[in-house]
């Protein structure tokens, strides 16, 4: 921090806002052009700042890429964590509760920003081998842990029967994300709300049949 500047002062807030604008612009350019083709000049133009400003805030292109990726992961994770918090222990109908949360999580998962993040991660994982763990710590790991915590609370309340909440959380998240990843061709083919709802409903039915003592509230097939 510069001499005379204090946390929350206009100059400090200005630096934070400018850094955020640079990171958001960088992600847009990296997602559109790929790491190799993206240039700091293009990022500066997208952010509306001078090129030296980027170097002052974030250094070179490699550091900028890593920070842009983790900042995007943190932003998308915050939306997913807010969804997970809706899964209440006292939900009247568990199937509806899981389906609603699953559908909302899929909306987060299928946002263009989230798809772009995953495509970039897959494309650049060889160039940046540590990126997978960094993104995991900033994103999917937190969502899985939060969901496992919700499942553990439901188990303690006697509403679920499970021995490993973390493993159960992984299984539910796989049930909802697996189908849309393939059906949307990694986000290049849009899926409608009705399709997402059907995936969430099916995932909830399968999950609760495995982890509830009795299929109370579950749809009965013909």
């Amino acid at each position: 921090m510069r001499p005379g500047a204090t946390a929350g002062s206009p100059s400090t807030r200005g630096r934070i806002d400018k850094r955020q604008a640079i990171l958001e612009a960088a992600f847009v350019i990296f997602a559109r052009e790929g790491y190799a083709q993206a240039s700091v000049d293009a990022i500066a133009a997208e952010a509306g700042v001078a090129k030296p400003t980027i170097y002052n805030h974030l250094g070179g292109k490699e550091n900028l890429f890593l920070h842009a990726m983790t900042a995007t992961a943190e932003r998308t994770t915050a939306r997913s964590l807010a969804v997970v918090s809706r899964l209440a222990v006292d939900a009247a109908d568990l199937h509806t509760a899981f389906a609603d949360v699953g559908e909302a999580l899929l909306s987060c998962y299928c946002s263009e920003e989230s798809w772009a993040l995953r495509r970039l991660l897959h494309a650049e994982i060889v160039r940046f081998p540590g990126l997978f763990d960094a993104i995991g710590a900033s994103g999917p790991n937190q969502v899985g842990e939060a969901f496992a915590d919700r499942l553990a609370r439901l188990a303690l309340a006697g509403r679920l029967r499970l021995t490993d909440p973390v493993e159960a959380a992984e299984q539910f998240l796989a049930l909802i994300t697996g189908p849309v990843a393939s059906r949307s061709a990694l986000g290049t083919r849009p899926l409608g709300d009705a399709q997402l709802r059907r995936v969430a409903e099916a995932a909830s039915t399968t999950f609760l049949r495995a982890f509830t003592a009795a299929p109370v509230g579950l749809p009965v097939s013909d």
Side-chain angles (χ1 to χ4, degrees):
M1 188 179 299
R2 293 182 303 167
T6 59
S9 68
S11 61
T12 301
R13 289 196 301 272
R15 285 184 60 82
I16 293 172
D17 291 344
K18 187 167 291 186
R19 177 187 173 92
Q20 183 62 34
I22 292 170
L23 290 175
E24 291 179 2
F27 184 77
V28 169
I29 299 300
F30 285 127
R32 187 173 69 210
E33 307 292 341
Y35 178 81
Q37 297 301 317
S39 69
V40 176
D41 286 320
I43 293 168
E46 179 74 20
V49 300
K51 185 175 178 180
T53 301
I54 291 181
Y55 289 109
N56 290 338
H57 279 267
L58 290 149
K61 179 178 171 180
E62 180 175 331
N63 191 56
L64 178 58
F65 177 74
L66 294 174
H67 279 81
M69 290 288 282
T70 54
T72 303
E74 290 169 358
R75 187 164 57 249
T76 59
T77 295
R79 293 193 285 267
S80 294
L81 290 175
V83 170
V84 171
S85 68
R86 302 178 197 169
L87 187 57
V89 173
D90 59 353
D93 183 334
L94 275 187
H95 183 267
T96 299
F98 272 84
D100 288 347
V101 167
E103 182 183 10
L105 283 174
L106 281 178
S107 294
C108 297
Y109 183 84
C110 292
S111 71
E112 181 50 42
E113 187 174 54
S114 294
W115 279 124
L117 179 68
R118 286 189 292 276
R119 288 194 293 262
L120 265 176
L121 175 61
H122 295 159
E124 304 299 341
I125 192 64
V126 174
R127 190 192 304 267
F128 298 99
L131 188 59
F132 185 84
D133 290 336
I135 296 299
S138 301
N141 293 356
Q142 291 184 43
V143 176
E145 290 167 3
F147 199 80
D149 176 72
R150 291 284 157 173
L151 296 183
R153 296 184 191 192
L154 285 163
L156 286 173
R159 306 202 68 187
L160 293 179
R161 294 196 310 174
L162 49 86
T163 57
D164 189 336
V166 173
E167 185 176 86
E170 290 175 346
Q171 291 169 346
F172 181 80
L173 295 173
L175 284 170
I176 62 171
T177 59
V180 299
S182 59
R183 294 176 193 177
S184 70
L186 298 181
T188 60
R189 300 171 187 164
L191 298 179
D193 292 341
Q195 291 172 289
L196 298 186
R197 183 66 189 186
R198 283 196 296 272
V199 170
E201 292 273 3
S204 300
T205 298
T206 299
F207 183 83
L208 291 175
R209 281 178 176 159
F211 291 109
T212 51
V216 177
L218 299 186
V220 178
S221 59
D222 296 331

